[in-house]
Amino acid sequence: MKPSPPSPLLPILLFTIFFLLFPTIITSVSLPLPPTPSPSSPSTSTLDTIQLKALQSLNIPTSKNPCIQPSFHNATQCDSSKPFRHLISLTLSNCSSSISLSYNALKSLSTLQSLHFLNCPIAPIHFPPQLTYSLISFTSINSLRKISGVWLSHLANLTDLAISNVPIKASGPYVFLPHMKKLKTLTISKANLTGYLPKHIHSNLTHIDFSSNNLKGNIPSSITMLDSLESLNLSSNNFKGEIPSSLGDLISLKNLSLASNSFSGSIPDSISAIPDLTHMDLSSNQLNGTIPKFISEMKNLKYLNLANNNLHGIVPFNMTFIKTLTMFKVVGNSNLCYNHSVLSSKLKLEIAPCDKHGMPMSPPTAKDSSEDDSSDSDYDDDDDDGSIHKREHHHGTNKFVLGVAIALSSIVFLIVFLILCSKCCR
Ligand SMILES: *[C@@H]1O[C@H](CO)[C@@H](O)[C@H](O)[C@H]1NC(C)=O
Ligand SMILES: *[C@@H]1O[C@H](CO)[C@@H](O)[C@H](O)[C@H]1NC(C)=O
Ligand SMILES: *[C@@H]1O[C@H](CO)[C@@H](O)[C@H](O)[C@H]1NC(C)=O
Ligand SMILES: *[C@@H]1O[C@H](CO)[C@@H](O)[C@H](O)[C@H]1NC(C)=O
Ligand SMILES: *[C@@H]1O[C@H](CO)[C@@H](O)[C@H](O)[C@H]1NC(C)=O
Ligand SMILES: *[C@@H]1O[C@H](CO)[C@@H](O)[C@H](O)[C@H]1NC(C)=O
Ligand SMILES: *[C@@H]1O[C@H](CO)[C@@H](O)[C@H](O)[C@H]1NC(C)=O
Ligand SMILES: *[C@@H]1O[C@H](CO)[C@@H](O)[C@H](O)[C@H]1NC(C)=O
Ligand SMILES: *[C@@H]1O[C@H](CO)[C@@H](O)[C@H](O)[C@H]1NC(C)=O
Ligand SMILES: *[C@@H]1O[C@H](CO)[C@@H](O)[C@H](O)[C@H]1NC(C)=O
């Protein structure tokens, strides 16, 4: 007997399911659309011809009218003066080393307020005095081969200075810093800068990044005067001595890194008085003493790295506090331990649990790690470097995997369906 033909409803149903799923699959797999080009605004007036000639003499690739916004790679920006506009911002990126900035060209460009060099290994330039007056923002990233402290000290009207990956020849920041009285943001990173922090840094700075240099000595306690400071990065230098408790006076501080120096002594309790501190990295120093319990009262703290020091005693935090952090690291403190009835071994802090005297149990045994399986499984599959990173970024990946799975199963489904269909329609 012939099998009864399948109900005509079934194929329709399957098709409906497939095509309902299909848009979901597409959206989970698709890449972001390319940005739609914005129409360039018509030029109302043009650049001063002398400045245009100067730009052309520098062989800088710009559009015909460098004042049209957005300009080619954002390299140029003009003011709105009439009848001719003037250049106020110039960015030179990826230039060939054969380019040479002539003194005369720079002189006619002395309306510039911002001058940025990115990957321009050209010879250092003698700036005309007019330009040194007018500049308020100067950047040299991997550019100009080397910069002298005396040369920098002439840029006295700067509010923003960023130098990275360029050696600075100066016997210390005191050579140029005291001359820059209007400075707000200061980055001098990977510049092999030597010397000491100046005793008196003026007070309007909001950002200081001296990371990866050869600076030495103490943090002067006069740092307390920087009450606008939001970010202080002294990482990877040769600083030593105690962290001054006056650091707690930096009431605007949000980011602090003193990592990879030779700071010693204890973590000052005063740090916990900084109301908005969100990022604190004191790793890889020689800090001793215990971890101040007050740290757990810092409402805005998200990132806490105390790894590789000589801290001892019991980690004074509970799960509630540690879960508010996106990053917490204490590995590499051999005398530090955690109370296993307070903190789960699943945190993988990579320090020993405490014995009943509050001393590290040694060596940590395999049994320890299976002791309190009952507690939180939140950190189950964290990476193994002893740090805790919350996993918000996995959501996208999960969605993607789901999309692909649905797509694959739908295709298999469709093929099976088509085979069935072709068999019964014969
Ligand atoms: C160009 O500069 C504007 C304003 O500073 C900025 O919003 C934009 O993202 C920049 N575009 C590029 C490609 O850098
Ligand atoms: C400079 O080079 C970098 C890396 O090769 C590239 O990402 C960037 O877009 C370039 N910038 C300009 C303005 O050409
Ligand atoms: C700083 O700029 C002012 C004008 O705003 C100018 O008078 C002064 O000479 C400049 N100072 C230096 C040292 O460049
Ligand atoms: C700093 O000095 C080291 C060693 O002398 C050198 O390898 C490095 O390239 C220098 N860095 C810069 C930015 O010149
Ligand atoms: C700091 O900024 C304030 C207000 O912006 C200004 O009045 C003061 O002169 C500045 N101080 C210095 C040393 O530049
Ligand atoms: C602090 O550091 C974080 C992460 O490095 C960064 O996203 C943020 O912009 C920084 N904030 C300040 C004020 O420097
Ligand atoms: C400090 O500088 C280092 C190196 O430039 C960087 O990796 C780190 O994120 C910075 N930290 C803060 C808190 O800004
Ligand atoms: C911590 O280090 C300082 C200076 O290195 C030392 O004077 C002090 O005795 C040490 N304290 C402890 C508890 O080890
Ligand atoms: C965890 O520690 C915080 C800060 O010390 C405290 O406010 C909170 O009550 C503690 N939570 C528990 C469950 O012990
Ligand atoms: C560990 O925590 C428990 C519960 O809070 C407490 O009873 C015990 O004394 C703590 N152990 C140590 C060594 O402090």
Side-chain angles (χ1 to χ4, degrees):
M1 203 182 111
K2 248 182 89 182
S4 62
S7 146
L9 273 179
L10 188 65
I12 294 168
L13 190 68
L14 291 176
F15 260 119
T16 317
I17 291 170
F18 181 77
F19 284 105
L20 275 179
L21 285 173
F22 205 67
T24 330
I25 296 156
I26 294 299
T27 50
S28 355
V29 177
S30 69
L31 296 164
L33 291 168
T36 45
S38 56
S40 51
S41 52
S43 60
T44 45
S45 65
T46 52
L47 183 63
D48 181 278
T49 38
I50 297 170
Q51 295 204 329
L52 189 61
K53 281 210 183 90
L55 270 188
Q56 284 160 351
S57 81
L58 299 178
N59 210 7
I60 298 161
T62 54
S63 48
K64 272 214 187 83
N65 184 350
C67 292
I68 294 176
Q69 289 303 316
S71 60
F72 184 71
H73 282 291
N74 263 1
T76 49
Q77 223 178 319
C78 304
D79 66 7
S80 51
S81 56
K82 284 183 176 142
F84 294 110
R85 303 171 76 177
H86 294 106
L87 213 57
I88 53 170
S89 172
L90 177 64
T91 303
L92 300 183
S93 318
N94 303 344
C95 32
S96 85
S97 54
S98 59
I99 206 173
S100 79
L101 300 186
S102 79
Y103 187 84
N104 281 336
L106 286 175
K107 201 167 164 188
S108 36
L109 294 177
S110 291
T111 53
L112 282 176
Q113 294 172 0
S114 302
L115 181 55
H116 307 298
F117 296 96
L118 312 173
N119 301 316
C120 280
I122 54 179
I125 319 148
H126 181 48
F127 279 3
Q130 298 92 320
L131 183 59
T132 61
Y133 297 161
S134 66
L135 280 185
I136 57 175
S137 173
F138 178 74
T139 304
S140 171
I141 295 172
N142 197 24
S143 303
L144 302 180
R145 297 184 200 161
K146 71 168 180 268
I147 293 176
S148 92
V150 175
W151 183 88
L152 269 183
S153 70
H154 294 132
L155 304 177
N157 275 333
L158 287 187
T159 60
D160 301 284
L161 171 63
I163 295 177
S164 179
N165 217 10
V166 189
I168 293 189
K169 271 189 62 190
S171 45
Y174 76 91
V175 175
F176 51 90
L177 217 44
H179 299 276
M180 301 176 170
K181 296 213 162 54
K182 300 178 180 170
L183 211 54
K184 288 206 150 72
T185 71
L186 168 65
T187 298
I188 294 184
S189 179
K190 299 180 205 142
N192 280 352
L193 183 62
T194 58
Y196 302 90
L197 288 181
K199 278 263 157 13
H200 296 287
I201 309 180
H202 71 89
S203 61
N204 275 355
L205 278 160
T206 60
H207 292 82
I208 296 180
D209 181 351
F210 273 130
S211 61
S212 305
N213 284 294
N214 300 325
L215 293 168
K216 59 190 172 184
N218 301 329
I219 298 179
S221 57
S222 56
I223 193 142
T224 176
M225 315 217 330
L226 296 171
D227 54 12
S228 308
L229 200 62
E230 293 173 20
S231 168
L232 177 62
N233 194 339
L234 301 179
S235 64
S236 302
N237 279 282
N238 303 319
F239 290 113
K240 63 176 175 53
E242 301 210 349
I243 299 174
S245 62
S246 59
L247 206 67
D249 295 339
L250 300 178
I251 49 165
S252 307
L253 202 60
K254 295 186 173 71
N255 284 0
L256 172 67
S257 178
L258 305 179
S260 302
N261 282 286
S262 301
F263 288 112
S264 56
S266 56
I267 301 171
D269 284 352
S270 65
I271 276 185
S272 52
I274 304 174
D276 296 327
L277 197 64
T278 50
H279 189 113
M280 174 151 75
D281 189 350
L282 305 179
S283 63
S284 301
N285 280 288
Q286 287 138 39
L287 298 171
N288 65 13
T290 55
I291 299 177
K293 186 172 167 34
F294 303 113
I295 288 179
S296 65
E297 276 148 37
M298 300 174 74
K299 294 280 176 288
N300 290 302
L301 199 65
K302 290 280 172 275
Y303 181 111
L304 178 60
N305 192 345
L306 303 174
N308 304 317
N309 280 290
N310 300 324
L311 299 166
H312 71 261
I314 306 175
V315 173
F317 305 140
N318 59 25
M319 285 305 285
T320 319
F321 172 69
I322 291 179
K323 277 184 176 174
T324 65
L325 303 175
T326 51
M327 207 308 230
F328 176 57
K329 216 168 161 180
V330 287
V331 65
N333 289 278
S334 52
N335 294 317
L336 197 66
C337 61
Y338 68 94
N339 183 335
H340 59 74
S341 46
V342 178
L343 297 182
S344 159
S345 62
K346 297 236 172 84
L347 286 173
K348 292 185 182 154
L349 297 178
E350 296 193 15
I351 54 172
C354 304
D355 63 16
K356 58 178 180 294
H357 309 292
M359 303 294 280
M361 269 195 234
S362 54
T365 59
K367 190 173 155 283
D368 291 324
S369 57
S370 59
E371 245 169 29
D372 41 7
D373 279 355
S374 57
S375 43
D376 304 81
S377 54
D378 273 33
Y379 296 111
D380 262 354
D381 53 355
D382 282 319
D383 33 5
D384 278 331
D385 64 351
S387 65
I388 295 157
H389 302 277
K390 296 241 172 104
R391 279 160 287 117
E392 286 111 1
H393 59 280
H394 284 207
H395 289 259
T397 327
N398 288 344
K399 214 171 157 192
F400 178 80
V401 170
L402 190 68
V404 171
I406 292 172
L408 285 177
S409 48
S410 305
I411 288 165
V412 170
F413 207 48
L414 188 67
I415 291 168
V416 170
F417 170 72
L418 287 175
I419 292 169
L420 281 178
C421 213
S422 66
K423 277 195 178 155
C424 56
C425 295
R426 253 191 314 213

